[in-house]
């Protein structure tokens, strides 16, 4: 059996992999939904756009569900504290996501322009709101979340929903939205042709420019934000003890890991170069390569946030010593071990059936296909 320290690191990495998988796979679905009202100018064009992701979107939701389940199982204290503090934000995400299954299934059932237009905007909300909220949540994590624990380790959140909408968090929300829109634009350009593809390329390139600019600004801004640093000795292989450490806040603390491990600078470089490369590849219509480059950008952006905060997972702005870290917010050794071996079995299965589904349903989606399958197409 792997030792406790190793499992803590593995599960920190695995949660990151699941978040990246969610952003790449379900992210391109959401990006397509975000672009839907703008790249489809009439009913048939919008049906083409919807059918590029229609066969896959619900399967891609597995990444979202698995990420939430892994967070609950591996970091139960983080799960409980986050869903308490970000309750209204999570409710907003869930309500936005409600539009997706209903919109996909019912949008084309009735031949009525108002009906279809309403569900088109519903799919837009379901695609645009979650990435924005998730980005805002990450921005608040980097600034610290106002919560504390009592002696019984009952957490109390002292902030409000509106406090989440601060300038830096809104900026990271823009980063997240642009990242997902680029992912959707690259995928849509690969699955369509003609005017729809041209509009998808234009949208993807625009999103790439916004992503590069906002990511750079967020990185510069982060140097002046008070980060967190552990000042006491922590038993990284010991049992979780949230309140036993000492933590200080200081400007530039989130940049410390890059000073200790300079190779980590490759991650933000990957985020920027992937986005820039995706834009250039879209402009020359190398759409599959653009999607791959965009996916690497997702890896770079999300990994940058993760390694900047490490070992912190959810810092507390009102009680820094109560900040949740990789070392003290995890499940038991046995739980992490069982989930690790289960992941080794089921993760490859998810990758295999997902790859098979995309291979079977590959190729361009055209208006002729929609007309030929009027009753089965979305």
């Amino acid at each position: 059996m792997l030792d406790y320290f190793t499992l803590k690191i593995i599960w920190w990495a695995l949660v990151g992999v699941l978040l990246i998988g969610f952003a790449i796979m379900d992210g391109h679905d959401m990006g397509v939904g975000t672009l839907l009202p703008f790249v489809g100018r009439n009913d048939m064009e919008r049906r083409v756009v919807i059918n590029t992701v229609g066969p896959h979107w619900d399967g891609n939701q597995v990444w979202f569900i698995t990420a939430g389940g892994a967070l609950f199982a591996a970091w139960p204290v983080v799960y409980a504290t986050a869903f308490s503090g970000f309750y209204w934000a999570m409710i907003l995400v869930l309500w936005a996501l409600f539009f997706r299954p209903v919109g996909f299934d019912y949008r084309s059932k009735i031949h009525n322009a108002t009906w279809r237009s309403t569900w088109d905007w519903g799919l837009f909300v379901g695609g645009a709101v979650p990435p924005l909220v998730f980005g805002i949540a990450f921005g608040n994590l980097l600034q610290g979340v106002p919560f504390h624990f009592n002696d019984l380790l009952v957490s109390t959140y002292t902030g409000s929903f509106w406090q989440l909408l601060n300038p830096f968090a809104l900026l990271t929300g823009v980063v997240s939205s642009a990242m997902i829109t680029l992912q959707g634009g690259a995928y849509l350009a690969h699955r369509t042709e003609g005017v729809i593809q041209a509009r998808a390329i234009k949208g993807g390139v625009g999103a790439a420019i916004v992503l590069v600019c906002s990511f750079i600004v967020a990185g510069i801004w982060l140097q002046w934000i008070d980060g967190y640093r552990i000042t006491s000795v922590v038993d990284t292989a010991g049992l979780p003890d949230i309140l036993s450490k000492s933590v200080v806040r200081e400007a530039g603390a989130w940049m410390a890991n890059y000073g200790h491990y300079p190779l980590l600078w490759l991650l933000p470089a990957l985020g920027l170069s992937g986005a820039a490369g995706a834009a250039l590849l879209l402009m020359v219509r190398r759409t599959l390569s653009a999607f791959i480059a965009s996916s690497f950008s997702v890896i770079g952006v999300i990994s940058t946030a993760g390694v900047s905060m490490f070992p912190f997972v959810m810092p507390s702005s009102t009680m820094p010593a109560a900040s949740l870290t990789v070392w003290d917010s995890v499940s038991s050794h046995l739980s992490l071990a069982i989930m690790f071996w289960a992941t080794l079995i089921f993760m490859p299965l998810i990758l295999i059936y997902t790859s098979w589904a995309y291979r079977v349903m590959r190729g361009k989606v055209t208006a002729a296909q929609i007309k030929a399958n009027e009753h089965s197409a979305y």
Side-chain angles (χ1 to χ4, degrees), residues 166-179:
N166 55 77
F168 180 76
L170 291 174
L171 175 61
T172 55
V174 171
V175 172
S176 177
S177 294
M179 178 181 72

Side-chain angles (χ1 to χ4, degrees), residues 145-175:
V145 181
F147 71 90
H148 62 272
F149 291 99
N150 62 18
D151 293 337
L152 299 177
L153 291 183
V154 176
S155 65
T156 300
Y157 177 74
T158 57
S160 68
F161 172 78
W162 301 111
Q163 288 177 326
L164 299 176
L165 307 180
N166 55 77
F168 180 76
L170 291 174
L171 175 61
T172 55
V174 171
V175 172

Side-chain angles (χ1 to χ4, degrees), residues 122-348:
L123 290 172
F124 166 78
V125 170
V129 171
L132 177 64
V133 174
F134 291 144
I136 289 173
F138 265 102
N140 280 278
L141 288 178
L142 288 165
Q143 296 174 95
V145 181
F147 71 90
H148 62 272
F149 291 99
N150 62 18
D151 293 337
L152 299 177
L153 291 183
V154 176
S155 65
T156 300
Y157 177 74
T158 57
S160 68
F161 172 78
W162 301 111
Q163 288 177 326
L164 299 176
L165 307 180
N166 55 77
F168 180 76
L170 291 174
L171 175 61
T172 55
V174 171
V175 172
S176 177
S177 294
M179 178 181 72
I180 296 303
T181 303
L182 169 59
Q183 189 76 356
Y187 179 79
L188 188 58
H190 183 62
R191 295 295 310 279
T192 57
E193 57 187 17
V195 293
I196 299 177
Q197 184 187 61
R199 293 170 192 150
I201 290 173
K202 185 177 180 180
V205 171
I209 294 172
V210 173
L211 173 57
V212 169
C213 294
S214 58
F215 189 52
I216 291 174
V217 173
I220 295 172
W221 194 338
L222 190 62
Q223 298 182 60
W224 282 276
I225 287 178
D226 287 342
Y228 291 73
R229 182 168 61 88
I230 298 175
T231 57
S232 59
V233 176
V234 175
D235 183 4
T236 56
L239 294 174
D241 190 357
I242 295 172
L243 301 179
S244 65
K245 61 185 179 297
S246 299
V247 176
V248 296
R249 300 186 65 183
E250 56 187 26
W254 290 143
M255 311 304 293
N257 287 335
Y258 297 97
H260 297 148
Y261 307 99
L263 283 177
L264 292 178
W265 284 106
L266 292 175
L267 294 174
L270 180 62
L272 293 171
S273 61
L280 294 174
L281 290 165
L282 282 173
M283 287 189 286
V284 297
R285 283 175 163 72
R286 298 286 298 276
T287 54
L288 179 58
S289 297
F291 181 77
I292 294 172
S294 175
S295 298
F296 276 112
S297 180
V298 170
I299 295 171
V301 170
I302 295 178
S303 298
T304 296
V307 301
S308 297
M309 292 180 60
F310 186 86
F312 290 91
V313 178
M314 190 172 181
S316 170
S317 59
T318 54
M319 188 180 180
S323 298
L324 302 177
T325 73
V326 173
W327 317 125
D328 58 23
S329 60
V330 297
S331 292
S332 68
H333 188 183
L334 180 60
S335 296
L336 296 182
I338 292 174
M339 290 190 299
F340 170 72
W341 295 112
T343 301
L344 286 185
I345 296 172
F346 291 106
M347 182 68 75

Side-chain angles (χ1 to χ4, degrees), residues 4-27:
Y4 204 11
F5 169 81
T6 302
L7 284 170
K8 290 177 181 180
I9 296 296
I10 287 175
W11 272 102
W12 174 78
L14 282 175
V15 170
V17 167
L18 289 170
L19 291 176
I20 290 170
F22 165 62
I24 291 175
M25 300 306 297
D26 207 18

